[in-house]
Each structure stands twice: as C-alpha cells, then as structure tokens.
Amino acid sequence: MRNLLLLFILLSHTLLFSGTKIISWNLENFGKSRSTAELLFIANTVKNYDIIALQEVVAGYGGAQAVANLTSILNTKGSSWNYSISNPTSSSAYKTERYAFIWKTSKAKLKQDAWLEKKYHLEIDREPYFATFEIGKKNITLVNFHAITKSKQPETEIKYFKFLPQEYPNLNLLFMGDFNCPQSHSVFNPLKKTGYTSVLQNQKTSLKQKCQTNNCLASEFDNMFYNINSINYINSGVVSFYTKFNTLKEARKISDHIPVWFEFSIK
C-alpha cells in the first residue's frame, strides 16, 4: 500500500511539473539534398520534444518535401505528428526561405492557419512565421524567425520585434529562432522591459569550422524569448548533436547550428 502511495505521489508530481517541450533548429539549407540517413538522424535528435520549429528551409519544392519526409519519419517513432510550412518569405534583397513547425498531435493543436507576419515584411527580410497552438486548453503563439547575417546588422530587423506584442495584444507570444545576435545586445532591451527574457544566457549555438581544445562553438545566435507574466519557465538547454560525429566537418552536413530547447507551462 505504501509503495502504491509513493507511486501515486511520484506520478502526480511528474504530471504537475512536466511541461511542453519545444525545440528550435536552424537546419541550414534544409531541402532535397538531405539523405534518408540525415533525416533519420534529425528525427532521432528531436523526437522527444513536443513542438519543433525549423529555420532555413529551402524556398523551393525541395524544402517542403524535406519537411514532409522528416514528419513521415517522426510518425514511425511512436507518436503522431503534423506539420505546417510557410510560403517563401517575401525578401527580394536577400535570401528567401521557408519556416516550418512540426508538432505531436497529442500535445498541441494548431488553432488556425499559421501565417507570415506582413506588417513589417518590408523592414524584415525574412518576416517571422506565427503559429497559435492550443496546449492544455490554453493558447500560445510561437514566432519563428531567422535574421539576416551578423555582417548585415540583424539588429536593424530585430528592433521591430518590440512592436509585435502591441500588434497582437491578445496573443501570448514566444519568440524563437536564429537571431544572429546575442541576447545581451541592447536591441532586445525594449522587449525585456515589457517582461520578456531569454531562455539561454551566454550560450554559443553556432559551430566553428574546427574544434579548438574541445571548444567547438562560435557565436551566441539561437535563443527563445518568453514573457515571464504568462509563461512558467521549467527548463532549457541545447543539444550538442555534433558530439555524435568524428569531426565538425561531418556534423556540419546536418547543420552549422545546434538546436535550442525550452520546457515551459502556460500560466
């Protein structure tokens, strides 16, 4: 009887404190060039998360097909998954891409069609991709973003993010992706002043060309920003997938970024 009581307490504690796990990954030119072995490796890396946000999906047909193929592989891993892929971003001056979300249907429900943010599409080359999910009868809107490269000054785009909570006052926004900019940059201060904070601090997420004395990461680019007034932080981290390869050159065939993840509950 005592053992049953302890088991009940343990299960209750697990259910009470377990949250939704989201993983965000820039998969560098994710398209038709990806082999089945590479897709299988990616699927095994992300399968234990509830929602996957992808950046740098190829704009052509091959990008959409790669996302569909990845979802098909995930569907063989014990859970049912669905996906949504954006239209190509409207950039003409820079590299157009797609975004994607893939989610476990038992954990999240897409409330409406996901959409590319149009208000600032002239100011932001690859305008962010929004998707509102219902999780446990509460809603959250994920904002998936890939900034222009560091040399092109991504802060000139990110500065418009401070307007998005005002633009969508009824949505609980969670920003994620590759910002090509560290969370310590002053461009994030307006968001932080309204209650947003990053899930990672001082965590590099892009891969070097070669490891130097076990130092394989280059820059602090990928992150997520959540509102502390509407989201409970449970845990966060990165997946150092490159340690599964003998060299960084091999690992970089998967991506030049490592995925970042966030476990949370909605208040």
Side-chain angles (χ1 to χ4, degrees):
M1 184 69 184
R2 185 169 178 270
N3 287 341
L4 281 173
L5 183 61
L6 286 172
L7 181 62
F8 176 76
I9 292 170
L10 180 64
L11 286 172
S12 299
H13 184 275
T14 302
L15 289 170
L16 188 63
F17 292 99
S18 66
T20 301
K21 292 182 178 180
I22 183 163
I23 190 165
S24 174
W25 201 354
N26 176 334
L27 275 177
E28 191 184 15
N29 293 320
F30 188 63
K32 64 182 179 182
S33 64
R34 296 311 179 105
S35 67
T36 301
E38 289 171 343
L39 292 173
L40 185 59
F41 179 88
I42 292 166
N44 284 330
T45 303
V46 300
K47 67 181 181 181
N48 293 325
Y49 298 86
D50 302 316
I51 303 175
I52 304 159
L54 300 180
Q55 302 90 44
E56 211 168 307
V57 177
V58 171
Y61 171 77
Q65 193 58 51
V67 173
N69 290 343
L70 176 59
T71 306
S72 294
I73 293 172
L74 284 166
N75 275 318
T76 69
K77 300 290 180 181
S79 296
S80 176
W81 296 79
N82 202 350
Y83 72 93
S84 177
I85 187 165
S86 76
N87 289 325
T89 53
S90 60
S91 167
S92 57
Y94 197 52
K95 182 183 174 187
T96 185
E97 295 171 5
R98 297 179 190 263
Y99 299 100
F101 289 108
I102 310 175
W103 64 93
K104 283 179 181 167
T105 56
S106 63
K107 299 288 188 176
K109 177 185 176 184
L110 189 65
K111 290 286 287 181
Q112 62 192 74
D113 288 344
W115 71 97
L116 286 169
E117 215 305 299
K118 289 301 180 187
K119 173 139 189 183
Y120 299 105
H121 77 280
L122 295 177
E123 293 83 7
I124 301 174
D125 272 328
R126 293 179 292 226
E127 65 272 32
Y129 188 45
F130 284 61
T132 298
F133 289 95
E134 181 182 312
I135 299 170
K137 297 185 178 179
K138 295 180 180 179
N139 293 339
I140 190 165
T141 301
L142 307 183
V143 183
N144 196 354
F145 179 59
H146 184 199
I148 53 177
T149 59
K150 186 178 179 180
S151 63
K152 291 181 179 290
Q153 299 180 301
E155 60 272 18
T156 60
E157 295 185 325
I158 297 167
K159 68 182 182 182
Y160 293 100
F161 276 55
K162 66 185 177 186
F163 300 120
L164 294 177
Q166 303 162 32
E167 196 71 30
Y168 299 95
N170 298 320
L171 299 183
N172 183 9
L173 301 181
L174 173 55
F175 299 95
M176 66 200 58
D178 175 7
F179 297 93
N180 278 311
C181 192
Q183 61 80 29
S184 56
H185 195 289
S186 60
V187 73
F188 293 109
N189 287 348
L191 265 183
K192 290 176 179 178
K193 285 177 181 175
T194 62
Y196 283 83
T197 189
S198 61
V199 302
L200 301 173
Q201 289 85 35
N202 304 314
Q203 173 63 61
K204 293 177 178 179
T205 59
S206 65
L207 293 180
K208 291 175 178 279
Q209 294 290 339
K210 289 183 179 179
C211 296
Q212 297 167 340
T213 60
N214 293 326
N215 180 12
C216 305
L217 299 175
S219 300
E220 189 184 340
F221 284 164
D222 305 81
N223 219 320
M224 301 190 201
F225 293 83
Y226 70 99
N227 192 325
I228 60 173
N229 300 307
S230 57
I231 295 174
N232 294 308
Y233 175 98
I234 298 175
N235 204 354
S236 63
V238 298
V239 181
S240 300
F241 77 90
Y242 58 90
T243 60
K244 302 269 179 72
F245 294 88
N246 292 323
T247 66
L248 275 194
K249 184 177 180 181
E250 290 177 77
R252 288 170 67 95
K253 290 179 181 177
I254 298 295
S255 180
D256 56 352
H257 288 248
I258 59 173
V260 304
W261 61 269
F262 177 35
E263 183 179 6
F264 64 92
S265 63
I266 305 170
K267 293 184 178 180

